[in-house]
Amino acid sequence: MLYPLTKRRSEGAIPIAANYRLVDAVVSNCINSNINKIYALTQFNSTSLNSHLSQAYSRIGIGKEGLVEVIAAYQSPENDSWFQGAADAVRRCLWVMEEYPVSEFLILPGHHLYKMDYQKIIEAHRNSKADITIAAFGALRDQDPGFGFLKVNSENQVVEFRLKSESKPINFVSVQAFIFDGYWEDMRSIEAFYQANMESTKKSNIGFNFFDRESPIYTFPRCLPSTLITDAKITDSVIGGGCILNRCKVKGTVLGLRTKIRDGAVIEDSVIMGSDVYQMDIQNGVDRKGIDIPIGIGEDTQIRKAIVDKNARIGKNVLIINKDNVQEGNNEANGFIISGGIVVLLRNAVIPNGSIV
Amino acid sequence: MLYPLTKRRSEGAIPIAANYRLVDAVVSNCINSNINKIYALTQFNSTSLNSHLSQAYSRIGIGKEGLVEVIAAYQSPENDSWFQGAADAVRRCLWVMEEYPVSEFLILPGHHLYKMDYQKIIEAHRNSKADITIAAFGALRDQDPGFGFLKVNSENQVVEFRLKSESKPINFVSVQAFIFDGYWEDMRSIEAFYQANMESTKKSNIGFNFFDRESPIYTFPRCLPSTLITDAKITDSVIGGGCILNRCKVKGTVLGLRTKIRDGAVIEDSVIMGSDVYQMDIQNGVDRKGIDIPIGIGEDTQIRKAIVDKNARIGKNVLIINKDNVQEGNNEANGFIISGGIVVLLRNAVIPNGSIV
Amino acid sequence: MLYPLTKRRSEGAIPIAANYRLVDAVVSNCINSNINKIYALTQFNSTSLNSHLSQAYSRIGIGKEGLVEVIAAYQSPENDSWFQGAADAVRRCLWVMEEYPVSEFLILPGHHLYKMDYQKIIEAHRNSKADITIAAFGALRDQDPGFGFLKVNSENQVVEFRLKSESKPINFVSVQAFIFDGYWEDMRSIEAFYQANMESTKKSNIGFNFFDRESPIYTFPRCLPSTLITDAKITDSVIGGGCILNRCKVKGTVLGLRTKIRDGAVIEDSVIMGSDVYQMDIQNGVDRKGIDIPIGIGEDTQIRKAIVDKNARIGKNVLIINKDNVQEGNNEANGFIISGGIVVLLRNAVIPNGSIV
Amino acid sequence: MLYPLTKRRSEGAIPIAANYRLVDAVVSNCINSNINKIYALTQFNSTSLNSHLSQAYSRIGIGKEGLVEVIAAYQSPENDSWFQGAADAVRRCLWVMEEYPVSEFLILPGHHLYKMDYQKIIEAHRNSKADITIAAFGALRDQDPGFGFLKVNSENQVVEFRLKSESKPINFVSVQAFIFDGYWEDMRSIEAFYQANMESTKKSNIGFNFFDRESPIYTFPRCLPSTLITDAKITDSVIGGGCILNRCKVKGTVLGLRTKIRDGAVIEDSVIMGSDVYQMDIQNGVDRKGIDIPIGIGEDTQIRKAIVDKNARIGKNVLIINKDNVQEGNNEANGFIISGGIVVLLRNAVIPNGSIV
């Protein structure tokens, strides 16, 4: 569960590695694998995901069809309910493919971070003549990753499927496993999401290479100002477009779009998502909403091991260091929760001057 | 109710006047009134409407924001239900405007056909300082149009609102009426929809001028082939892009995109919606789906006062003339219903050779 | 020479078959052959061609690169002259490919009408290991098409190249011929251009199929109104988007975008290019430019075997029938020339009421 | 003269302030002033400028017309010469406006950096009823800026125009001056260009605010990776998208798109334009072109007061410090020139390890 990052958006729309949204990874995999017809089935808090996909990818393509078409959950005369899970969503949307003579589908979750050339799994699928081919993660062969096990025979045929303690033998259909062994992160927790961001700050960039010219990661293209830095010491960090950094120290941190850091701030081991806009409406120290703490990170504030969602307003002399070393805690009323020891500030959170978390 | 045209699509996505979708009228009014931020709230059978809006209008605009942003109904932690009507939809989507300092909204239904310069109603609203201004149709001052009455005083203030037999006095808020007197069609029935199409075939084009350079109607721009005509007598009709007309007679009819009419066919007073694709898959007289009647209108077939939805396959020597003069009837199993004396063929309907309706 | 159609535009920008421009054929061949990086080198009257290519094709593609990039002739410190022909243009633009590791190029003229899967010539080229492969038209094996001969040996190696009476043996490089045998029209004369248009009006559409779903012809996508027809007898003709046809007869004719034909007009065996806009500025019978003949074809006018360029204003009771059967003639002052017996009305020509050509 | 920055591109296409091209300033002024039809007349080294304008701005706009249409110099039957200067270019392109009923034009150079609401000069022009209104720079009232003087009377009517030593009285037409007093930089020299870049690195950002939400600067929107920083001390600098900074010091510097700085490098008071691509082709230390120095800035290299054009390859232990304090010098053979004491490295320059400039 990625709550509270999913309070207003679905998982795929969560910003990651500063410039991207989570869903960009799988869409870019498709583009780089020459797959040019994608349907995105959405339902939960889908507004920002729909908007991102539609803005980023519907402009692409010749003639009528964009690269990605969003199919939001909808009511119909035959079915008044929401999609009842991923399988039901796929089933209820099969009609959109009526006019296409397609017989093979890739079904991909939108919140995993990995690079895969899907042509390879397609080729393996065709060669095996299986009914279904499932990509399985080989690296964890003997650990329980928390999302199910495939038991395969020597020819990688799946003979048993185990989810939690329940085990299902495979009958009726032939199921093949496609063993994948690269970097792969399932964003099933705040901690996993935090780790994936930390991975992006590493020099070696081994986990997931955003700079690969051959298989680039696409996203909504923006024309943001260049990042302006007054006086900063920056180590092992990534910085998104349009930031404004005054006198500050930044270490092991992801700074998202339009992040503003004021004099004396120190940020370590954190994910700052930045802001949707540059604030223009401050008069006499108070903005249009009557708030006297501006968007961004205030003077002399220190942040360590935190995730700061978009548009947060963090005052001066604030300490966000999880000083009591809480592992799990919910303090939404004051703008944050703690999950796995990581402090997560909510979208639009307001943290008064001098606060200590 | 526009069923069965709404069987797979919402009202706004119904094709009208050959090249357009119903929703294009209200979006074009916005564009021509210099309103450049539109949210389209959708829920019922929304797939094709979302797709149309996203393809046609999300490419427009500078920077992040497209002209039209679709907000499909979605589940959220706070609210697991569908939109409970239009007012609820608006209420639940107010949060998307959080970051915009807007204080005035236009709320527009997506299935009305009319031209209005919205700047005029905005100006009237500002001048009257009313809380709410409602556009009211003056031309029907004494008839019951079936969708409610406003009772106004001499200054056009609304003093009473009547819906069906129920009457509500207006308290607490000041409501102003903006009297509109041009062409206006509410697509509340198959008959109204049929009439609006018939209007588009008239030479004078008084009702709704699609050829007006100053206030054009926008839609998804296409690159269809030019219409190819072998031998046709055409009167009082409009013809969309990419049609193929063999030897035929067409009178008082709307021919939608990619309509195919074969030798000897006669079409009168009808709305033919055309086809989504050119059929390429016919081998030995049978297509990929095993159907031996191709998309389009067959040899020597006659159609009168009918609406033929997309991709219908009408065989040879068919008569669609409502020969028994039925007013209302449902024969979906055979591909049609009759509403207000108008025969409506369903999307993908197959009408065998020699059928008589 | 396609003058006067090239008076204000280059050959590739000439409208053809109503909805298209000549250059769309070769660009569409590229798209349909999965070639996605095209440079269009332009120089002569290039404004409308550049604009067409940039509007129609630069929107396509992911990331930085559009499908088609226009390289207009330019001055540089090293070279102050215009491109000295096609070969020089290619030579002077080689630098743009510096950053691409490409070693094979297709060089394609922009004014030929044909369908070819370029992957086939690429494959043949690779197989033969020739330095250069040239597509040659096999169908005219023994006629002089007016643009040069290749003499090939039994393995299709070119051993001699003959242009007009001059003959060049091939030395130093190995040149292979790729024999092409489909429909192919080089727009080297008004007559060839006229023939290509006539071809597009034929039912069988054998010459060049615009309706082929597998290899469609792309162009700038437009949202024009549906064509409105009051009372027309139309045979063997193609009709572009947004025409307005009153009571008229049209036979063997191409009617371009927004063509307006008034009551009593008869058009035969002609190419009408239509208009760039709908005229809105007529007051008291005179428009903004002081001209009292509106754009389009006037009442009771007859046109036979003519090409009418864009925005022409043809009055009432005009006869454009080449009554004296002139083969060649230049009457630009009066708005037309005659070439190969075909009357060509210039762009923006004004033909007074009652004129006889 | 901005040579050698203009060796392969025209002035408007020169990168500035990391993410932008010079021409973006004037186009953004137009957009922010609600001017939505721009013709860009280009001729000299126009390829990259045409490409930038076409990619960045032709996608914007409804229907046929993009925001910016490029008119490259072209040959025509009437005129075989290049544009003979700016006035001739305007004169020869007037025909493109034939169909628009416009009577007022703004003529704007594409290489000036300033913000102006053009509606104000339009309003002043209309109020004064002058034939021509010229924007004049008030701040330099008594200095010679090197590009001409206007002498105005008390009502700001221009009574004399002085260019260099030549003076022209104004007759026949009424000319009005519009006095402009904000930040304004004419890129008439390497030094002016350098100063404009330095201005963009200042915290106060007074000269030209790139972060202004109300009047943003547009450019080609990109989806570059976030900048990755291993260990950097950065002061008074701006950083474009997709840079990779290892252990380094950066002071008073503009780092353009995809700049790569290696361990130990020190950059001061410089403009680094970055790179068009990420280099992927290095094998055994040598790239596809056989060059053994990769794109970017090498280990332990120091750069001070230099402009480094795109794709330069600067080796290890290089000193670019203008050690002999040369004011003007041309050493193109070795990849640089010196202008006004500023070292300018050419596009694609290769500077061997250990070089001292």
Side-chain angles (χ1 to χ4, degrees):
Chain A
M1 279 290 300
L2 288 172
Y3 192 88
L5 303 177
T6 52
K7 187 172 176 163
R8 281 281 184 222
R9 53 166 97 80
S10 55
E11 291 170 335
I14 299 175
I16 188 162
N19 281 357
Y20 302 93
R21 307 258 183 169
L22 209 28
V23 77
D24 292 326
V26 68
V27 176
S28 298
N29 278 341
C30 287
I31 295 175
N32 294 328
S33 303
N34 282 317
I35 289 170
N36 48 37
K37 192 68 209 156
I38 305 170
Y39 289 96
L41 312 186
T42 68
Q43 170 167 290
F44 182 81
N45 262 345
S46 55
T47 304
S48 63
L49 180 59
N50 295 351
S51 168
H52 175 71
L53 290 169
S54 160
Q55 300 288 335
Y57 301 108
S58 81
R59 297 172 193 238
I60 299 166
I62 289 178
K64 173 159 185 180
E65 285 130 31
L67 185 78
V68 180
E69 212 159 317
V70 172
I71 305 186
Y74 59 90
Q75 287 185 305
S76 73
E78 295 104 26
N79 203 330
D80 194 42
S81 65
W82 295 101
F83 294 154
Q84 306 296 308
D88 183 56
V90 172
R91 196 184 311 121
R92 281 172 60 185
C93 293
L94 284 174
W95 67 272
V96 303
M97 274 164 286
E98 248 174 29
E99 295 303 329
Y100 294 87
V102 284
S103 54
E104 294 169 334
F105 306 83
L106 272 175
I107 298 178
L108 303 165
H111 61 294
H112 288 183
L113 189 68
Y114 62 101
K115 285 202 180 183
M116 193 191 288
D117 179 352
Y118 296 137
Q119 293 301 340
K120 289 190 180 153
I121 190 171
I122 292 169
E123 198 190 323
H125 175 68
R126 288 176 182 167
N127 288 341
S128 74
K129 298 194 198 308
D131 295 315
I132 296 171
T133 298
I134 298 180
F137 196 47
L140 297 171
R141 229 169 269 265
D142 294 313
Q143 308 157 43
D144 183 348
F147 44 77
F149 266 102
L150 298 181
K151 188 166 177 179
V152 301
N153 66 15
S154 62
E155 286 167 328
N156 277 339
Q157 286 169 336
V158 179
V159 293
E160 194 188 312
F161 179 69
R162 202 158 73 224
L163 182 55
K164 287 157 198 169
S165 56
E166 219 182 329
S167 166
K168 287 258 174 90
I170 304 288
N171 301 316
F172 309 120
V173 293
S174 61
V175 179
Q176 193 74 14
F178 176 81
I179 310 299
F180 173 72
D181 271 317
Y183 172 83
W184 182 86
E185 188 73 68
D186 175 6
M187 303 295 164
R188 67 199 177 287
S189 67
I190 287 290
E191 209 175 333
F193 173 76
Y194 176 81
Q195 281 308 332
N197 275 282
M198 287 306 105
E199 195 67 28
S200 77
T201 66
K202 291 189 185 147
K203 180 185 180 179
S204 52
N205 221 253
I206 281 170
F208 190 89
N209 185 357
F210 285 96
F211 293 90
D212 187 344
R213 185 177 168 184
E214 302 299 311
S215 60
I217 309 304
Y218 298 97
T219 187
F220 182 74
R222 285 183 189 79
C223 52
L224 285 169
S226 313
T227 285
L228 178 66
I229 300 179
T230 305
D231 185 1
K233 177 90 184 74
I234 302 173
T235 37
D236 296 326
S237 296
V238 299
I239 304 187
C243 297
I244 299 179
L245 312 186
N246 295 355
R247 186 169 43 78
C248 63
K249 285 187 188 162
V250 177
K251 181 157 169 286
T253 285
V254 171
L255 298 182
L257 303 172
R258 304 187 194 80
T259 297
K260 174 132 195 180
I261 303 182
R262 297 188 172 77
D263 281 348
V266 178
I267 324 281
E268 288 176 29
D269 304 329
S270 292
V271 180
I272 314 294
M273 292 193 180
S275 167
D276 288 322
V277 292
Y278 294 110
Q279 230 181 339
M280 298 285 294
D281 56 352
I282 299 176
Q283 292 189 327
N284 303 322
V286 173
D287 71 10
R288 180 167 52 85
K289 295 176 177 170
I291 304 174
D292 63 352
I293 297 174
I295 292 176
I297 293 165
E299 280 85 354
D300 302 312
T301 280
Q302 298 190 25
I303 299 177
R304 198 160 57 229
K305 204 171 179 185
I307 297 172
V308 178
D309 204 337
K310 285 258 190 97
N311 306 329
R313 298 145 181 273
I314 302 179
K316 307 177 189 180
N317 289 302
V318 172
L319 286 181
I320 297 175
I321 53 173
N322 191 5
K323 79 174 160 51
D324 301 325
N325 200 17
V326 176
Q327 284 309 295
E328 303 295 325
N330 186 319
N331 201 338
E332 274 198 58
N334 288 316
F336 65 92
I337 70 149
I338 301 178
S339 172
I342 301 160
V343 182
V344 185
L345 268 68
L346 273 69
R347 195 166 193 276
N348 298 330
V350 181
I351 309 296
N353 297 336
S355 304
I356 300 179
V357 174
Chain B
M1 280 291 300
L2 288 173
Y3 193 86
L5 304 177
T6 51
K7 187 172 178 164
R8 280 279 184 224
R9 55 166 96 83
S10 56
E11 291 170 334
I14 300 174
I16 188 162
N19 281 357
Y20 302 92
R21 306 259 182 167
L22 208 29
V23 78
D24 292 326
V26 67
V27 176
S28 298
N29 279 341
C30 287
I31 295 174
N32 294 328
S33 304
N34 282 316
I35 289 170
N36 48 37
K37 193 68 208 155
I38 304 171
Y39 290 96
L41 313 186
T42 68
Q43 169 167 290
F44 182 82
N45 264 342
S46 55
T47 304
S48 63
L49 180 60
N50 294 351
S51 169
H52 175 69
L53 289 170
S54 159
Q55 300 287 337
Y57 300 107
S58 82
R59 297 173 194 237
I60 299 168
I62 289 177
K64 173 161 186 182
E65 286 131 28
L67 185 77
V68 180
E69 211 158 316
V70 171
I71 305 185
Y74 59 90
Q75 287 185 304
S76 72
E78 296 105 23
N79 202 329
D80 194 44
S81 65
W82 294 101
F83 294 153
Q84 305 297 307
D88 184 55
V90 171
R91 194 183 313 118
R92 281 173 60 185
C93 293
L94 284 174
W95 68 272
V96 302
M97 273 163 285
E98 248 173 28
E99 294 303 327
Y100 294 88
V102 284
S103 53
E104 294 170 333
F105 306 82
L106 271 175
I107 298 178
L108 304 165
H111 61 294
H112 288 183
L113 190 67
Y114 63 102
K115 286 202 179 181
M116 192 192 290
D117 179 352
Y118 295 137
Q119 292 303 338
K120 289 188 181 155
I121 190 171
I122 292 170
E123 197 190 324
H125 175 68
R126 289 175 181 169
N127 287 341
S128 74
K129 300 191 194 314
D131 294 314
I132 297 171
T133 298
I134 299 179
F137 196 46
L140 297 170
R141 230 169 268 267
D142 295 311
Q143 306 159 43
D144 183 349
F147 44 78
F149 266 101
L150 298 181
K151 188 166 177 179
V152 301
N153 66 14
S154 62
E155 286 167 327
N156 278 340
Q157 286 170 334
V158 179
V159 292
E160 195 188 308
F161 179 69
R162 203 158 70 223
L163 182 57
K164 286 157 197 169
S165 56
E166 217 182 330
S167 168
K168 285 259 174 90
I170 305 287
N171 299 318
F172 309 121
V173 294
S174 61
V175 180
Q176 194 73 15
F178 176 80
I179 310 300
F180 173 72
D181 271 319
Y183 174 83
W184 183 85
E185 189 73 70
D186 174 8
M187 302 296 164
R188 69 200 176 281
S189 67
I190 288 290
E191 207 173 337
F193 173 77
Y194 176 81
Q195 280 308 331
N197 275 281
M198 288 304 106
E199 195 69 26
S200 77
T201 67
K202 291 191 184 146
K203 179 185 180 178
S204 53
N205 220 250
I206 282 172
F208 190 88
N209 185 359
F210 285 97
F211 293 90
D212 188 345
R213 184 178 169 187
E214 302 297 313
S215 60
I217 309 303
Y218 298 97
T219 188
F220 182 73
R222 287 184 187 76
C223 52
L224 286 168
S226 313
T227 285
L228 179 65
I229 300 178
T230 306
D231 186 0
K233 178 89 184 72
I234 302 172
T235 38
D236 297 326
S237 296
V238 298
I239 305 186
C243 296
I244 301 179
L245 312 186
N246 294 355
R247 185 168 44 76
C248 64
K249 285 187 188 163
V250 176
K251 183 159 167 283
T253 285
V254 170
L255 298 181
L257 303 171
R258 304 187 193 81
T259 296
K260 174 132 197 181
I261 303 181
R262 298 187 170 77
D263 281 348
V266 179
I267 323 283
E268 289 177 29
D269 305 328
S270 292
V271 179
I272 313 296
M273 291 192 181
S275 169
D276 287 322
V277 293
Y278 293 109
Q279 233 182 336
M280 299 284 295
D281 58 351
I282 300 175
Q283 292 190 329
N284 302 322
V286 172
D287 70 13
R288 177 168 53 86
K289 297 178 177 168
I291 304 173
D292 65 352
I293 297 174
I295 291 176
I297 294 164
E299 280 85 354
D300 301 315
T301 281
Q302 297 190 25
I303 298 177
R304 199 160 55 230
K305 205 173 177 185
I307 296 172
V308 178
D309 204 338
K310 285 258 190 96
N311 305 330
R313 299 145 179 276
I314 303 177
K316 305 176 189 183
N317 288 302
V318 172
L319 286 180
I320 297 176
I321 53 172
N322 191 4
K323 79 174 162 50
D324 301 325
N325 200 18
V326 176
Q327 285 307 297
E328 305 294 326
N330 186 320
N331 202 338
E332 274 198 57
N334 289 315
F336 66 94
I337 69 147
I338 301 179
S339 172
I342 302 160
V343 181
V344 185
L345 269 69
L346 272 68
R347 196 166 191 275
N348 298 331
V350 182
I351 308 295
N353 297 338
S355 305
I356 300 179
V357 174
Chain C
M1 279 291 300
L2 288 174
Y3 193 87
L5 303 177
T6 51
K7 186 171 177 164
R8 280 277 184 225
R9 53 167 97 82
S10 56
E11 291 169 336
I14 299 175
I16 187 161
N19 281 357
Y20 302 93
R21 307 258 183 169
L22 208 29
V23 78
D24 292 326
V26 68
V27 176
S28 298
N29 279 342
C30 287
I31 295 175
N32 295 327
S33 304
N34 282 317
I35 289 169
N36 48 38
K37 194 67 210 158
I38 305 170
Y39 290 96
L41 313 186
T42 67
Q43 170 166 290
F44 183 80
N45 263 344
S46 54
T47 304
S48 63
L49 180 60
N50 295 351
S51 168
H52 174 72
L53 290 170
S54 160
Q55 299 288 336
Y57 301 107
S58 81
R59 297 172 193 238
I60 297 167
I62 288 178
K64 172 157 186 182
E65 285 132 29
L67 186 78
V68 180
E69 211 158 317
V70 171
I71 305 186
Y74 58 90
Q75 286 185 306
S76 73
E78 295 104 25
N79 203 330
D80 192 44
S81 66
W82 294 101
F83 295 154
Q84 306 296 309
D88 182 56
V90 172
R91 194 184 313 120
R92 281 173 57 186
C93 294
L94 284 174
W95 66 273
V96 303
M97 273 163 289
E98 247 172 31
E99 294 304 326
Y100 294 87
V102 285
S103 53
E104 294 169 333
F105 307 82
L106 272 175
I107 297 177
L108 304 164
H111 61 293
H112 289 184
L113 190 67
Y114 63 101
K115 285 201 180 184
M116 192 191 289
D117 179 353
Y118 295 136
Q119 293 301 340
K120 290 189 180 152
I121 190 171
I122 292 170
E123 199 190 322
H125 175 68
R126 288 176 182 169
N127 287 342
S128 74
K129 300 192 196 308
D131 294 314
I132 296 170
T133 298
I134 299 180
F137 197 47
L140 297 170
R141 231 169 268 266
D142 294 313
Q143 307 157 46
D144 182 349
F147 45 76
F149 267 101
L150 298 181
K151 187 167 180 178
V152 300
N153 66 14
S154 63
E155 288 166 329
N156 279 339
Q157 285 169 335
V158 180
V159 292
E160 193 187 310
F161 179 68
R162 201 157 73 225
L163 182 56
K164 286 158 197 166
S165 56
E166 218 181 330
S167 168
K168 286 257 174 88
I170 305 286
N171 299 320
F172 309 121
V173 292
S174 62
V175 179
Q176 193 74 13
F178 176 81
I179 309 299
F180 173 73
D181 270 319
Y183 173 82
W184 182 86
E185 188 73 69
D186 174 6
M187 302 297 162
R188 65 198 179 286
S189 66
I190 287 289
E191 206 172 338
F193 172 77
Y194 176 81
Q195 280 309 329
N197 275 282
M198 288 304 106
E199 195 67 28
S200 76
T201 67
K202 288 186 187 151
K203 179 183 179 178
S204 53
N205 221 251
I206 283 171
F208 190 88
N209 185 359
F210 285 97
F211 293 90
D212 188 344
R213 184 178 167 184
E214 302 299 312
S215 61
I217 309 304
Y218 298 97
T219 188
F220 181 73
R222 283 183 190 80
C223 52
L224 285 169
S226 313
T227 285
L228 179 65
I229 300 179
T230 306
D231 185 1
K233 180 89 184 72
I234 303 173
T235 37
D236 297 326
S237 296
V238 299
I239 304 186
C243 296
I244 299 179
L245 313 186
N246 294 355
R247 186 167 46 78
C248 63
K249 286 187 188 162
V250 176
K251 185 160 168 283
T253 285
V254 170
L255 298 182
L257 303 172
R258 303 188 195 81
T259 297
K260 175 134 197 180
I261 304 182
R262 298 188 169 78
D263 282 348
V266 179
I267 323 283
E268 288 176 30
D269 305 329
S270 292
V271 179
I272 314 294
M273 292 193 180
S275 167
D276 288 322
V277 291
Y278 294 111
Q279 233 182 338
M280 298 285 294
D281 58 350
I282 299 176
Q283 293 189 329
N284 304 322
V286 172
D287 69 13
R288 179 167 53 86
K289 296 177 176 169
I291 304 173
D292 64 351
I293 297 174
I295 291 174
I297 294 164
E299 281 85 352
D300 301 313
T301 280
Q302 297 190 26
I303 299 177
R304 199 161 55 230
K305 205 173 177 185
I307 297 173
V308 178
D309 204 335
K310 284 258 191 96
N311 306 329
R313 299 144 180 272
I314 303 178
K316 307 177 189 181
N317 290 302
V318 171
L319 285 180
I320 298 176
I321 53 175
N322 191 6
K323 78 175 163 47
D324 300 325
N325 200 16
V326 176
Q327 285 307 296
E328 304 295 326
N330 187 320
N331 202 337
E332 274 198 58
N334 290 315
F336 66 93
I337 69 146
I338 301 178
S339 171
I342 302 160
V343 181
V344 185
L345 269 68
L346 273 69
R347 196 166 191 276
N348 298 330
V350 181
I351 309 295
N353 298 336
S355 303
I356 299 178
V357 174
Chain D
M1 279 291 300
L2 288 172
Y3 193 87
L5 304 178
T6 51
K7 186 172 179 163
R8 279 283 185 220
R9 54 167 97 82
S10 56
E11 292 171 334
I14 300 175
I16 186 163
N19 281 356
Y20 303 91
R21 307 258 183 168
L22 208 30
V23 77
D24 292 325
V26 67
V27 176
S28 298
N29 278 342
C30 287
I31 295 175
N32 294 327
S33 304
N34 283 314
I35 289 170
N36 48 38
K37 193 67 210 158
I38 304 170
Y39 290 96
L41 313 185
T42 68
Q43 170 166 289
F44 183 82
N45 263 344
S46 55
T47 304
S48 64
L49 180 60
N50 295 350
S51 170
H52 174 71
L53 290 170
S54 161
Q55 299 288 337
Y57 301 107
S58 81
R59 297 172 194 238
I60 297 169
I62 289 178
K64 173 159 185 180
E65 287 132 28
L67 186 77
V68 180
E69 212 159 315
V70 172
I71 306 186
Y74 59 91
Q75 287 186 304
S76 73
E78 296 105 25
N79 202 330
D80 193 42
S81 65
W82 294 101
F83 295 153
Q84 306 296 308
D88 183 55
V90 172
R91 194 183 313 117
R92 280 172 62 185
C93 293
L94 284 174
W95 67 273
V96 303
M97 274 163 287
E98 246 174 29
E99 294 303 328
Y100 295 87
V102 283
S103 54
E104 294 169 333
F105 307 82
L106 272 175
I107 298 178
L108 304 165
H111 61 294
H112 288 183
L113 189 68
Y114 62 102
K115 285 201 178 182
M116 193 191 290
D117 179 353
Y118 296 137
Q119 292 304 337
K120 288 190 182 154
I121 191 171
I122 293 170
E123 199 191 322
H125 175 68
R126 287 177 183 167
N127 286 341
S128 74
K129 300 192 194 313
D131 294 315
I132 297 170
T133 298
I134 298 179
F137 196 46
L140 297 171
R141 231 170 266 269
D142 294 312
Q143 306 158 43
D144 183 350
F147 45 78
F149 266 101
L150 297 182
K151 185 165 179 180
V152 300
N153 65 15
S154 62
E155 287 167 326
N156 279 338
Q157 285 169 335
V158 179
V159 293
E160 195 186 310
F161 179 68
R162 202 158 71 222
L163 183 55
K164 285 157 198 168
S165 57
E166 215 181 333
S167 167
K168 285 259 173 92
I170 305 288
N171 299 319
F172 308 123
V173 292
S174 60
V175 179
Q176 193 73 15
F178 176 80
I179 309 299
F180 173 72
D181 271 317
Y183 174 83
W184 183 86
E185 189 72 72
D186 175 7
M187 303 296 165
R188 67 198 177 284
S189 67
I190 287 290
E191 206 174 339
F193 173 76
Y194 176 80
Q195 280 308 332
N197 275 281
M198 288 305 106
E199 195 67 27
S200 76
T201 68
K202 291 191 185 146
K203 178 185 180 179
S204 53
N205 222 248
I206 283 172
F208 190 87
N209 185 359
F210 284 97
F211 293 89
D212 188 344
R213 185 178 169 186
E214 302 298 312
S215 61
I217 309 303
Y218 299 97
T219 187
F220 182 73
R222 287 183 186 77
C223 51
L224 286 169
S226 312
T227 284
L228 179 66
I229 300 178
T230 306
D231 186 1
K233 178 89 185 72
I234 303 173
T235 36
D236 296 327
S237 295
V238 299
I239 305 186
C243 296
I244 299 180
L245 312 187
N246 295 356
R247 186 166 46 77
C248 65
K249 284 187 190 162
V250 177
K251 182 157 168 284
T253 284
V254 170
L255 298 182
L257 303 172
R258 303 187 195 83
T259 296
K260 176 134 195 179
I261 303 182
R262 297 185 171 78
D263 281 347
V266 178
I267 322 282
E268 288 175 31
D269 304 328
S270 292
V271 179
I272 313 296
M273 291 194 181
S275 167
D276 288 322
V277 292
Y278 293 110
Q279 233 182 336
M280 298 285 294
D281 58 351
I282 300 176
Q283 292 188 329
N284 303 323
V286 172
D287 70 11
R288 177 168 54 85
K289 296 176 177 170
I291 304 174
D292 64 352
I293 296 174
I295 292 175
I297 294 164
E299 281 84 353
D300 301 312
T301 280
Q302 297 190 26
I303 299 178
R304 198 159 56 229
K305 205 173 177 187
I307 296 172
V308 177
D309 205 337
K310 285 260 191 93
N311 306 328
R313 300 144 180 273
I314 303 179
K316 305 175 191 184
N317 289 303
V318 171
L319 285 180
I320 297 177
I321 53 171
N322 191 7
K323 77 175 162 53
D324 300 326
N325 198 17
V326 176
Q327 285 307 297
E328 305 294 325
N330 187 320
N331 201 339
E332 274 197 58
N334 290 315
F336 66 94
I337 70 146
I338 300 178
S339 172
I342 302 161
V343 181
V344 185
L345 269 69
L346 272 67
R347 196 167 191 276
N348 298 330
V350 181
I351 309 295
N353 297 338
S355 305
I356 299 178
V357 173

